[in-house]
Amino acid sequence: MPPLFVYRGELKGELKGELKFRFERFFNGVESGYVDDFYYFCSLNGSSRSLAYDLSQKCYNPRMKNIRNFCIIAHIDHGKSTLADRLLEYTDTVAAKDMEAQVLDDMDLERERGITIKSHAIQMNYRQDGEDYVLNLIDTPGHVDFSYEVSRSIAACEGALLIVDATQGIQAQTISNLYMAIDNNLEIIPVINKCDLESANPDEVEDQIVDLLGCARSEIIRASGKTGMGVDEILRAIVERVPVPEGDPKAPLQALIFDSVFNPFRGIIAYFKVLNGTMRKDDFVKFVATGKEYHADEVGVLKLDMMPRTEISAGNVGYIISGIKTSKEVKVGDTITHVARPCEKAISGFEEVKPMVFAGVYPIDAEDFENLRASLEKLQLNDASLTFQPESSAALGFGFRCGFLGLLHMEIVQERLSREFGMEVITTVPNVSYLVYDKKGNAPVEVHNPSGLPEITLIDHIEEPYIRSTIITQADYIGPIMTLCLGKRGELVKQEYISGNRMELTFDLPLGEIVIDFYDKLKSISKGYASFDYHLNGFRESRLVKLDILLNGESVDALSTLTHADNAVRFGRRMCEKLKELIPRQQFDIAIQAAIGAKIIARETIKAVRKDVTAKCYGGDISRKRKLLEKQKQGKKRMKQIGSVEVPQKAFLAVLKLD
């Protein structure tokens, strides 16, 4: 029975006619899903205007058996966000006037690039066979760099829509996300998207899905996110196939935080899924991991906008606002419980974030250091896969060593710092983390930064991270892909035909070789057909050397990098050539050198800009001109001694553009 019961006597006296009829239906649980309509009806009645909001809050508490939590998983560009738009449109969750492409992608960056960066949660009301259902949808990113977002979304769901493009078939990230969902015991609903396209080949894709999942053909839904084909079948399948959330609304509160955002006016808003118990407005709650206690100022559900509610019971997804100002106090994966009646143990969170790529992020103006710290903390709330710690550089001053999941992730973070916080930063050459073993037999030291490397004489050996990568491509491009992977010191593990002309290649590759330009090159040589997915596969001993860049004999630590001994000379030469193009000419010669220890392996010289000091010397003896030239020569010598070389920002990212 809805919690409206206690208000029955008070409210029935004020409600008349249609309102009274609808109230009775609400009370009997007939129309528990149509709160907004009821609120509208209430507000039409002048005498009940003050009660409208309160009533609409109190009456909405769906029974657990009518709740379905599901996410959408797929490879990048397989149409997740477009299909989500159609689901929202079909269930009337988003009004026609608010409808736009990628409606859940609220970042300008997401819309511009046409990719999802953040997971987005939204609640839909759906009526089927005379019964109302609440569907909590989480749209997820498809790019391998944002796989952590996917793992968090999966933790808050019981089912998943597996979307496969009818023109491309199963790709590497499809398989990776599918295994993640299966590991979490999610019910998989396979959907073939883009069936309206002329180039679509649903029969072949259906064969691939049957081989991969072992499901019946009748379970596969053919759909189109563009035309809305198959949307009603998908919604029916969600209701019928996705399991009802388990949990006890009367047990001690256990809620899992799966995301958080920073609001400048209301502080930190945490998104959670209630596994057990009920969270009410004005409850006194505790965050288990941090041990902090808060007052629940507002709880509610996530529609297109946040909708306040009096309570959120087991099985539901919602948000809590409790006036938290410090970002460190909210940890994604933490458990919320009641102070008065705490749960026995915290919920085991989802997989730990493992940064793959490390780069130094420095403010252009040294005074902005604290502003950059505050910006990164707020960004970390919204992007739990970002890690950072302070560091300093002789060339760039104070900044942060940040950990990213990949190069796209690094680019997105840089762009978001600029757009959302107005922070213009310099990013150093990306590195991966290495394990350094010394000759004394101590425990290995993890090094993220070349400057943190011990003296070469103290190092016994260095281990670098390797990844197990899966590349799915057409057989026509096998040769160039093999050449690319072997050129990156890759080892072929296996190759096998999946279906027709499609092959799956498995390589072991050093992570340091793929973080910079591997993905772009792979897409270029395969004409966009090859898909790529990877996971960390341990550390291996390797011959690594520290490559330093010297400008006029002074080492620029921000341009230092760790590279394999076989590639060092070639890489150093390319770095010098690139810097020669980027560094502007000065009034003196600039020597650009690449060095390994004391050995110079490459050199380029930027010639001085020669001012014509004899231009105004008309006629007269030659000795007058010589005197002026000699004076210029002495001035240049002096300048060379005290002159510093201005290195432009783009030079620090030059390494990313190397061919």
Side-chain angles (χ1 to χ4, degrees), residues 399-420:
F400 295 93
R401 172 80 15 189
C402 298
F404 308 97
L405 293 179
L407 228 66
L408 176 66
H409 185 210
M410 174 176 137
E411 198 181 318
I412 294 292
V413 166
Q414 203 172 341
E415 189 77 21
R416 286 184 71 185
L417 281 171
S418 170
R419 291 191 185 202
E420 295 173 27

mmCIF file of all heavy atoms in Angstrom, residues 399-420:
data_model
loop_
_atom_site.group_PDB
_atom_site.id
_atom_site.type_symbol
_atom_site.label_atom_id
_atom_site.label_comp_id
_atom_site.label_asym_id
_atom_site.label_seq_id
_atom_site.Cartn_x
_atom_site.Cartn_y
_atom_site.Cartn_z
ATOM 1 N N GLY A 399 53.012 21.528 -10.615
ATOM 2 C CA GLY A 399 51.848 21.013 -11.346
ATOM 3 C C GLY A 399 51.428 19.683 -10.754
ATOM 4 O O GLY A 399 51.678 19.411 -9.578
ATOM 5 N N PHE A 400 50.774 18.863 -11.569
ATOM 6 C CA PHE A 400 50.265 17.573 -11.101
ATOM 7 C C PHE A 400 50.624 16.464 -12.078
ATOM 8 O O PHE A 400 50.597 16.667 -13.294
ATOM 9 C CB PHE A 400 48.740 17.622 -10.937
ATOM 10 C CG PHE A 400 48.298 18.575 -9.873
ATOM 11 C CD1 PHE A 400 47.979 19.886 -10.189
ATOM 12 C CD2 PHE A 400 48.231 18.170 -8.543
ATOM 13 C CE1 PHE A 400 47.594 20.779 -9.205
ATOM 14 C CE2 PHE A 400 47.841 19.061 -7.551
ATOM 15 C CZ PHE A 400 47.525 20.362 -7.880
ATOM 16 N N ARG A 401 50.954 15.312 -11.536
ATOM 17 C CA ARG A 401 51.133 14.096 -12.328
ATOM 18 C C ARG A 401 49.774 13.384 -12.366
ATOM 19 O O ARG A 401 49.292 12.920 -11.337
ATOM 20 C CB ARG A 401 52.227 13.224 -11.693
ATOM 21 C CG ARG A 401 52.412 11.845 -12.278
ATOM 22 C CD ARG A 401 53.129 11.629 -13.476
ATOM 23 N NE ARG A 401 53.978 12.609 -14.049
ATOM 24 C CZ ARG A 401 54.531 12.502 -15.267
ATOM 25 N NH1 ARG A 401 54.330 11.448 -16.013
ATOM 26 N NH2 ARG A 401 55.285 13.454 -15.728
ATOM 27 N N CYS A 402 49.140 13.379 -13.525
ATOM 28 C CA CYS A 402 47.786 12.826 -13.646
ATOM 29 C C CYS A 402 47.817 11.457 -14.312
ATOM 30 O O CYS A 402 48.614 11.223 -15.232
ATOM 31 C CB CYS A 402 46.894 13.758 -14.460
ATOM 32 S SG CYS A 402 46.673 15.378 -13.692
ATOM 33 N N GLY A 403 46.935 10.581 -13.849
ATOM 34 C CA GLY A 403 46.786 9.251 -14.447
ATOM 35 C C GLY A 403 45.506 9.200 -15.283
ATOM 36 O O GLY A 403 44.439 9.600 -14.815
ATOM 37 N N PHE A 404 45.611 8.730 -16.531
ATOM 38 C CA PHE A 404 44.458 8.641 -17.438
ATOM 39 C C PHE A 404 44.303 7.200 -17.937
ATOM 40 O O PHE A 404 45.230 6.397 -17.851
ATOM 41 C CB PHE A 404 44.650 9.558 -18.662
ATOM 42 C CG PHE A 404 44.998 10.973 -18.323
ATOM 43 C CD1 PHE A 404 46.324 11.410 -18.322
ATOM 44 C CD2 PHE A 404 44.017 11.879 -17.993
ATOM 45 C CE1 PHE A 404 46.653 12.718 -18.009
ATOM 46 C CE2 PHE A 404 44.335 13.186 -17.672
ATOM 47 C CZ PHE A 404 45.653 13.606 -17.685
ATOM 48 N N LEU A 405 43.123 6.903 -18.471
ATOM 49 C CA LEU A 405 42.879 5.561 -19.006
ATOM 50 C C LEU A 405 43.397 5.400 -20.433
ATOM 51 O O LEU A 405 43.481 4.297 -20.944
ATOM 52 C CB LEU A 405 41.385 5.243 -18.970
ATOM 53 C CG LEU A 405 40.792 5.098 -17.566
ATOM 54 C CD1 LEU A 405 39.313 4.811 -17.639
ATOM 55 C CD2 LEU A 405 41.482 4.003 -16.776
ATOM 56 N N GLY A 406 43.678 6.509 -21.074
ATOM 57 C CA GLY A 406 44.188 6.455 -22.449
ATOM 58 C C GLY A 406 44.369 7.864 -22.967
ATOM 59 O O GLY A 406 44.119 8.845 -22.256
ATOM 60 N N LEU A 407 44.798 7.967 -24.215
ATOM 61 C CA LEU A 407 45.092 9.282 -24.780
ATOM 62 C C LEU A 407 43.834 10.111 -25.029
ATOM 63 O O LEU A 407 43.847 11.329 -24.871
ATOM 64 C CB LEU A 407 45.883 9.133 -26.087
ATOM 65 C CG LEU A 407 47.094 10.034 -26.151
ATOM 66 C CD1 LEU A 407 48.109 9.722 -25.188
ATOM 67 C CD2 LEU A 407 47.697 10.068 -27.465
ATOM 68 N N LEU A 408 42.729 9.447 -25.440
ATOM 69 C CA LEU A 408 41.469 10.172 -25.643
ATOM 70 C C LEU A 408 40.988 10.730 -24.308
ATOM 71 O O LEU A 408 40.533 11.875 -24.230
ATOM 72 C CB LEU A 408 40.403 9.260 -26.256
ATOM 73 C CG LEU A 408 39.008 9.899 -26.415
ATOM 74 C CD1 LEU A 408 39.050 11.033 -27.430
ATOM 75 C CD2 LEU A 408 37.946 8.878 -26.836
ATOM 76 N N HIS A 409 41.105 9.931 -23.261
ATOM 77 C CA HIS A 409 40.719 10.369 -21.920
ATOM 78 C C HIS A 409 41.530 11.610 -21.509
ATOM 79 O O HIS A 409 40.980 12.584 -20.990
ATOM 80 C CB HIS A 409 40.943 9.223 -20.922
ATOM 81 C CG HIS A 409 40.467 9.522 -19.542
ATOM 82 N ND1 HIS A 409 41.037 8.980 -18.419
ATOM 83 C CD2 HIS A 409 39.467 10.314 -19.088
ATOM 84 C CE1 HIS A 409 40.421 9.425 -17.341
ATOM 85 N NE2 HIS A 409 39.470 10.234 -17.706
ATOM 86 N N MET A 410 42.832 11.577 -21.797
ATOM 87 C CA MET A 410 43.712 12.712 -21.475
ATOM 88 C C MET A 410 43.277 13.965 -22.242
ATOM 89 O O MET A 410 43.208 15.065 -21.693
ATOM 90 C CB MET A 410 45.160 12.332 -21.834
ATOM 91 C CG MET A 410 46.164 13.430 -21.705
ATOM 92 S SD MET A 410 47.821 12.780 -22.060
ATOM 93 C CE MET A 410 48.457 14.094 -23.056
ATOM 94 N N GLU A 411 42.969 13.787 -23.511
ATOM 95 C CA GLU A 411 42.527 14.899 -24.364
ATOM 96 C C GLU A 411 41.212 15.493 -23.841
ATOM 97 O O GLU A 411 41.040 16.712 -23.807
ATOM 98 C CB GLU A 411 42.341 14.366 -25.797
ATOM 99 C CG GLU A 411 42.303 15.420 -26.868
ATOM 100 C CD GLU A 411 42.095 14.782 -28.232
ATOM 101 O OE1 GLU A 411 42.713 13.728 -28.511
ATOM 102 O OE2 GLU A 411 41.285 15.300 -28.993
ATOM 103 N N ILE A 412 40.275 14.610 -23.454
ATOM 104 C CA ILE A 412 38.965 15.040 -22.939
ATOM 105 C C ILE A 412 39.139 15.826 -21.642
ATOM 106 O O ILE A 412 38.526 16.874 -21.454
ATOM 107 C CB ILE A 412 38.025 13.826 -22.739
ATOM 108 C CG1 ILE A 412 37.679 13.167 -24.071
ATOM 109 C CG2 ILE A 412 36.773 14.209 -21.950
ATOM 110 C CD1 ILE A 412 36.834 13.931 -25.027
ATOM 111 N N VAL A 413 39.992 15.328 -20.734
ATOM 112 C CA VAL A 413 40.236 16.008 -19.453
ATOM 113 C C VAL A 413 40.799 17.407 -19.703
ATOM 114 O O VAL A 413 40.368 18.395 -19.105
ATOM 115 C CB VAL A 413 41.180 15.171 -18.552
ATOM 116 C CG1 VAL A 413 41.710 16.013 -17.376
ATOM 117 C CG2 VAL A 413 40.457 13.942 -18.016
ATOM 118 N N GLN A 414 41.765 17.489 -20.623
ATOM 119 C CA GLN A 414 42.374 18.786 -20.960
ATOM 120 C C GLN A 414 41.313 19.755 -21.499
ATOM 121 O O GLN A 414 41.274 20.933 -21.118
ATOM 122 C CB GLN A 414 43.470 18.561 -22.011
ATOM 123 C CG GLN A 414 44.500 19.676 -22.029
ATOM 124 C CD GLN A 414 45.672 19.342 -22.924
ATOM 125 O OE1 GLN A 414 45.917 18.194 -23.261
ATOM 126 N NE2 GLN A 414 46.426 20.342 -23.321
ATOM 127 N N GLU A 415 40.453 19.243 -22.367
ATOM 128 C CA GLU A 415 39.397 20.054 -22.970
ATOM 129 C C GLU A 415 38.386 20.496 -21.913
ATOM 130 O O GLU A 415 37.941 21.651 -21.905
ATOM 131 C CB GLU A 415 38.701 19.223 -24.067
ATOM 132 C CG GLU A 415 37.732 20.000 -24.937
ATOM 133 C CD GLU A 415 38.404 20.863 -25.986
ATOM 134 O OE1 GLU A 415 39.559 20.588 -26.325
ATOM 135 O OE2 GLU A 415 37.784 21.797 -26.431
ATOM 136 N N ARG A 416 38.029 19.573 -20.997
ATOM 137 C CA ARG A 416 37.062 19.916 -19.939
ATOM 138 C C ARG A 416 37.635 20.938 -18.958
ATOM 139 O O ARG A 416 36.909 21.814 -18.478
ATOM 140 C CB ARG A 416 36.621 18.653 -19.191
ATOM 141 C CG ARG A 416 35.663 17.791 -20.014
ATOM 142 C CD ARG A 416 35.170 16.587 -19.221
ATOM 143 N NE ARG A 416 34.251 16.988 -18.162
ATOM 144 C CZ ARG A 416 33.751 16.161 -17.255
ATOM 145 N NH1 ARG A 416 34.080 14.886 -17.291
ATOM 146 N NH2 ARG A 416 32.933 16.590 -16.307
ATOM 147 N N LEU A 417 38.932 20.831 -18.652
ATOM 148 C CA LEU A 417 39.569 21.827 -17.772
ATOM 149 C C LEU A 417 39.454 23.216 -18.382
ATOM 150 O O LEU A 417 39.186 24.192 -17.693
ATOM 151 C CB LEU A 417 41.053 21.489 -17.548
ATOM 152 C CG LEU A 417 41.364 20.393 -16.520
ATOM 153 C CD1 LEU A 417 42.844 20.033 -16.588
ATOM 154 C CD2 LEU A 417 41.016 20.828 -15.109
ATOM 155 N N SER A 418 39.632 23.288 -19.694
ATOM 156 C CA SER A 418 39.572 24.566 -20.394
ATOM 157 C C SER A 418 38.141 25.096 -20.435
ATOM 158 O O SER A 418 37.889 26.260 -20.145
ATOM 159 C CB SER A 418 40.134 24.403 -21.815
ATOM 160 O OG SER A 418 39.887 25.520 -22.578
ATOM 161 N N ARG A 419 37.171 24.234 -20.780
ATOM 162 C CA ARG A 419 35.783 24.686 -20.987
ATOM 163 C C ARG A 419 35.032 24.938 -19.695
ATOM 164 O O ARG A 419 34.330 25.943 -19.560
ATOM 165 C CB ARG A 419 35.012 23.644 -21.803
ATOM 166 C CG ARG A 419 35.465 23.547 -23.231
ATOM 167 C CD ARG A 419 34.505 22.709 -24.005
ATOM 168 N NE ARG A 419 34.975 22.501 -25.358
ATOM 169 C CZ ARG A 419 34.197 22.175 -26.366
ATOM 170 N NH1 ARG A 419 32.921 22.036 -26.167
ATOM 171 N NH2 ARG A 419 34.682 21.978 -27.571
ATOM 172 N N GLU A 420 35.138 23.989 -18.750
ATOM 173 C CA GLU A 420 34.317 24.074 -17.552
ATOM 174 C C GLU A 420 34.934 24.937 -16.462
ATOM 175 O O GLU A 420 34.230 25.474 -15.619
ATOM 176 C CB GLU A 420 34.048 22.658 -17.017
ATOM 177 C CG GLU A 420 33.208 21.809 -17.982
ATOM 178 C CD GLU A 420 33.062 20.353 -17.547
ATOM 179 O OE1 GLU A 420 33.148 20.087 -16.320
ATOM 180 O OE2 GLU A 420 32.892 19.472 -18.421
#
